[in-house]
Amino acid sequence: DIVMTQAPLSVSVTPGESASISCRSSKSLLHSNGITYVYWYLQKPGKSPQLLIYRMSNLASGVPDRFSGSGSETDFTLKISRVEAEDVGIYYCGQLLENPPTFGGGTKLELK
Amino acid sequence: QVTLKESGPGMLQPSKTLSLTCSFSGFSLSTSGMVVSWIRQPSGKSLEWLAAIDWDGDKYYNPSLKSRLTVSKDTSNTQVFLKITSVDIADTATYYCARNRYNWGFAYWGQGTLVTVSS
């Protein structure tokens, strides 16, 4: 299985500031078709996960453009600009290159 | 509007078989590229993908649990089922069903159903 490793475990951010979360995969997520199959999800307290970013850098429908995804073949970053109170929760990266799909351990974002 | 909703027994005893249902609307599982997956999350832990069934009826399983899992769908393509045999306390988790299409990500999730395995 592809192992997804996230850092840090938690991040505390002042509202209005930016935050970055890292994710590393145990193998390249770049397919020969040029698509990188890494995804970012946010699980708000008591809620189901919601898709933020798909295929490394594409914003999911309805997601504010304060969120952006970037990376290489094995190292990925989710950046949140101008953090707001509604961004609090646990962020997960995931991969869909190979079965089984796997997820990172999560990064908890809190407000200062 | 796409919605998914999981249902299950709530609680069951060790060694029993867990049966889960995912009822969905707003899309048809027979549409090309459509996949419905089961994903679980123990309290305070990360997500674990379990199984999936696609528009063509093909089934996919997590190798670590494959011997215990059976995924299926109804003929009307509005429900997906998951059976887990010989449950153990370690199977206690919130179980989600989620929709993916053409690997655009799990864009739609159900609310989850909590399953507790206890004697």
Side-chain angles (χ1 to χ4, degrees):
Chain A
D1 297 3
I2 296 176
V3 177
M4 306 293 287
T5 303
Q6 290 184 234
L9 285 178
S10 66
V11 60
S12 183
V13 185
T14 301
E17 298 294 307
S18 295
S20 289
I21 298 170
S22 297
C23 175
R24 176 169 291 177
S25 58
S26 60
K27 68 174 286 186
S28 173
L29 298 184
L30 174 62
H31 192 277
S32 57
N33 62 11
I35 297 172
T36 303
Y37 289 98
V38 66
Y39 305 77
W40 289 96
Y41 302 87
L42 164 60
Q43 187 170 32
K44 296 182 179 181
K47 300 294 186 182
S48 304
Q50 62 182 91
L51 179 67
L52 298 175
I53 301 288
Y54 65 96
R55 298 181 178 182
M56 191 170 74
S57 58
N58 297 279
L59 207 59
S61 177
V63 175
D65 60 7
R66 300 182 291 101
F67 292 88
S68 62
S70 62
S72 62
E73 297 186 23
T74 58
D75 290 274
F76 312 100
T77 302
L78 175 72
K79 183 175 180 180
I80 313 165
S81 304
R82 305 180 306 279
V83 169
E84 299 183 2
E86 66 178 20
D87 301 335
V88 165
I90 302 176
Y91 290 79
Y92 296 98
C93 60
Q95 66 81 21
L96 286 175
L97 179 70
E98 292 181 354
N99 276 333
T102 49
F103 299 88
T107 296
K108 187 174 185 178
L109 186 144
E110 299 173 315
L111 297 182
K112 284 183 181 176
Chain B
Q1 179 188 4
V2 173
T3 64
L4 302 98
K5 187 173 183 179
E6 308 85 351
S7 57
M11 181 177 289
L12 75 166
Q13 295 178 328
S15 79
K16 301 297 187 182
T17 295
L18 170 61
S19 295
L20 298 167
T21 299
C22 174
S23 302
F24 54 86
S25 62
F27 69 97
S28 174
L29 188 48
S30 62
T31 300
S32 179
M34 243 11 126
V35 182
V36 172
S37 287
W38 286 97
I39 298 164
R40 71 180 179 181
Q41 184 177 39
S43 179
K45 296 189 177 182
S46 184
L47 303 158
E48 180 182 30
W49 180 88
L50 300 176
I53 190 165
D54 72 12
W55 79 99
D56 217 15
D58 290 329
K59 303 171 183 180
Y60 307 87
Y61 296 100
N62 191 319
S64 67
L65 292 161
K66 184 176 182 177
S67 63
R68 299 172 52 211
L69 302 178
T70 303
V71 64
S72 61
K73 62 186 177 81
D74 71 336
T75 54
S76 66
N77 285 299
T78 60
Q79 289 186 316
V80 170
F81 311 101
L82 181 69
K83 290 188 185 296
I84 305 177
T85 60
S86 303
V87 297
D88 180 77
I89 293 175
D91 295 308
T92 295
T94 297
Y95 287 77
Y96 297 99
C97 57
R99 193 200 90 171
N100 177 22
R101 189 178 184 207
Y102 288 130
N103 281 347
W104 288 330
F106 298 112
Y108 297 93
W109 296 67
Q111 64 189 26
T113 186
L114 176 62
V115 175
T116 302
V117 179
S118 174
S119 55

